[in-house]
């Protein structure tokens, strides 16, 4: 269904063993990819809700161990997060800038600003050992929870929350959620991969400025095509 400015449809997807029916509304106009991030957030939420159905989730406000993991974000998500920060009051923005600078310095000291030859797994384990809190973490809770990255939405556990702080994650039982978030990588450009959320401000200083515009439905189709290719 379409009106003069938007198109509405119900996406019917099979993701892993899950069958998802999720309504979306996107602008028909030419827009940068960042404008469809809310649609991607809603889709990931729908997949997560289906995956966790009937399970007792341990994650609660105030248990922020997972907020010290390496959080990979795509260019498109990075642009959304920068918009969010730029819209904050000056005092809060300044506090965040300080936290991001501290995180970047710790990552640099550990020699992790460049991925080098490390696998994603090796990089994640080494990063977690540094115990660097996400700059958006406040009082052990996500201060941007409605706008949190896609991959953060996909990480839920059924085991005791205390186990999540363990260096080896021994005993942690994650919910088997299909990694829909990975389809956001390369959405704008095939060479676009991901960067750690804690390096958002570092990335902002060197990020591409050539944001291509496409109709909203076309961005969604590109995302779904990438999702299908990742299965």
């Amino acid at each position: 269904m379409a009106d003069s400015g938007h198109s509405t449809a119900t996406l019917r997807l099979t993701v892993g063993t899950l069958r998802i029916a999720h309504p979306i509304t996107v602008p028909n106009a030419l827009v940068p990819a960042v404008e469809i991030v809310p649609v991607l957030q809603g889709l990931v939420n729908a997949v997560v809700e289906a995956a966790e159905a009937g399970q007792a989730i341990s994650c609660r406000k105030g248990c922020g161990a997972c907020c010290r993991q390496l959080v990979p974000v795509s260019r498109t998500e990075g642009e959304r997060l920068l918009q969010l920060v730029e819209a904050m009051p000056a005092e809060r923005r300044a506090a965040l800038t300080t936290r991001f600078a501290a995180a970047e310095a710790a990552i640099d000291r550990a020699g992790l600003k460049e991925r080098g030859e490390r696998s994603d797994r090796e990089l994640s384990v080494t990063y977690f050992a540094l115990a660097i809190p996400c700059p958006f973490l406040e009082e052990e809770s996500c201060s941007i929870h409605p706008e949190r990255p896609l991959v953060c939405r996909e990480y839920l556990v059924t085991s005791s929350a205390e186990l999540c702080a363990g260096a080896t994650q021994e005993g942690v039982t994650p919910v088997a959620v299909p990694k829909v978030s990975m389809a956001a990588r390369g959405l704008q450009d095939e060479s676009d991969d991901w960067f750690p959320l804690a390096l958002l401000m570092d990335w902002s200083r060197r990020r591409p400025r050539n944001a291509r515009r496409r109709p909203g439905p076309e961005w969604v189709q590109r995302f779904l095509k990438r999702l299908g290719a990742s299965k």
Side-chain angles (χ1 to χ4, degrees), residues 139-168:
E139 298 180 356
E140 292 303 300
S141 294
C142 178
S143 65
I144 59 162
H145 196 263
E147 290 283 353
R148 67 197 186 282
L150 301 180
V151 70
C152 295
R153 298 162 194 264
E154 296 170 336
Y155 188 77
L156 297 168
V157 302
T158 57
S159 48
S160 173
E162 289 75 18
L163 296 175
C164 294
T168 62

Side-chain angles (χ1 to χ4, degrees), residues 75 185-193 222 225-226:
R75 169 186 173 180
R185 303 178 190 177
L187 181 61
Q188 298 189 54
D189 187 312
E190 293 298 327
S191 64
D192 175 33
D193 194 8
R222 286 176 64 86
K225 183 178 180 180
R226 297 190 64 79

Side-chain angles (χ1 to χ4, degrees), residues 62-86:
C63 62
C66 62
C67 299
R68 290 169 174 79
Q69 296 187 41
L70 188 155
V71 176
V73 295
S74 64
R75 169 186 173 180
T76 303
E77 291 182 85
E79 290 168 348
R80 175 79 175 188
L81 290 169
L82 285 176
Q83 289 181 353
L84 182 68
V85 172
E86 289 164 3

Side-chain angles (χ1 to χ4, degrees), residues 48-58 60 156-158 173-177:
V48 171
E49 288 170 8
E52 70 177 8
Q55 301 190 62
I57 305 302
S58 305
R60 296 290 184 273
L156 297 168
V157 302
T158 57
T173 308
V175 176
V177 178

Side-chain angles (χ1 to χ4, degrees), residues 34 56 146:
V34 67

Side-chain angles (χ1 to χ4, degrees), residues 11-35:
L11 297 181
R12 301 184 185 279
L13 307 173
T14 299
V15 186
T17 61
L18 306 175
R19 293 180 181 273
I20 309 296
H22 180 67
I24 65 167
T25 298
V26 294
N28 293 322
L30 296 174
V31 294
V34 67
E35 295 298 320

